């Protein structure tokens, strides 16, 4: 069939949308949600403990260092060449898995 005839009858050809990374993106979103809930809960407990002891000097140094390390982890991972070659949902999955495992470790240590 002539491509001009097909285009005249059915309009321009449109490729089908790929659903390749949808499952990976959903798992990554769940991991990030769990990690953020755990880290938020730890922050709440740290503030509650600081308010209970009556110290008003601010955030303790070790909590500030932990926050910086948790924030630097996905940034460091995303700058690695092996992770840069992955698709965007796979990158979100790798960083979410790393942050979630750190958050679970902190919760286990705090408990």
């Amino acid at each position: 069939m002539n491509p001009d005839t097909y285009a005249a009858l059915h309009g321009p050809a449109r490729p089908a949308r790929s659903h390749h990374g949808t499952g990976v993106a959903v798992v990554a979103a769940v991991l990030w949600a769990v990690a953020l809930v755990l880290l938020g809960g730890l922050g709440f407990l740290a503030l509650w403990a600081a308010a209970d002891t009556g110290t008003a000097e601010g955030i303790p140094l070790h909590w500030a260092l932990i926050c910086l390390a948790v924030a630097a982890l996905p940034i460091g991972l995303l700058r690695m060449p092996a992770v840069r070659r992955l698709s965007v949902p796979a990158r979100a999955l790798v960083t979410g898995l790393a942050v979630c495992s750190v958050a679970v470790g902190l919760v286990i240590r705090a408990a």
Side-chain angles (χ1 to χ4, degrees):
M1 177 182 270
N2 187 356
D4 295 332
T5 305
Y6 181 85
L9 291 174
H10 304 288
R14 292 178 302 216
R17 185 171 167 226
S18 173
H19 298 289
H20 180 65
T22 305
V24 174
V26 169
V27 172
V30 168
L31 283 173
W32 272 102
V34 168
L36 292 176
V37 166
L38 290 174
L39 292 173
L42 281 174
F44 174 73
L45 288 176
L47 289 175
W48 192 358
D52 190 35
T53 58
T55 59
E57 291 96 26
I59 299 175
L61 180 63
H62 66 279
W63 280 104
L65 291 176
I66 288 173
C67 290
L68 285 174
V70 170
L73 177 68
I75 295 170
L77 276 175
L78 287 173
R79 296 186 58 85
M80 293 177 59
V83 177
R84 281 184 170 182
R85 287 190 290 268
L86 296 174
S87 65
V88 174
R91 286 182 219 163
L93 179 66
V94 168
T95 55
L97 186 61
V99 172
C100 189
S101 62
V102 168
V104 169
L106 288 173
V107 167
I108 290 173
R109 187 180 185 295

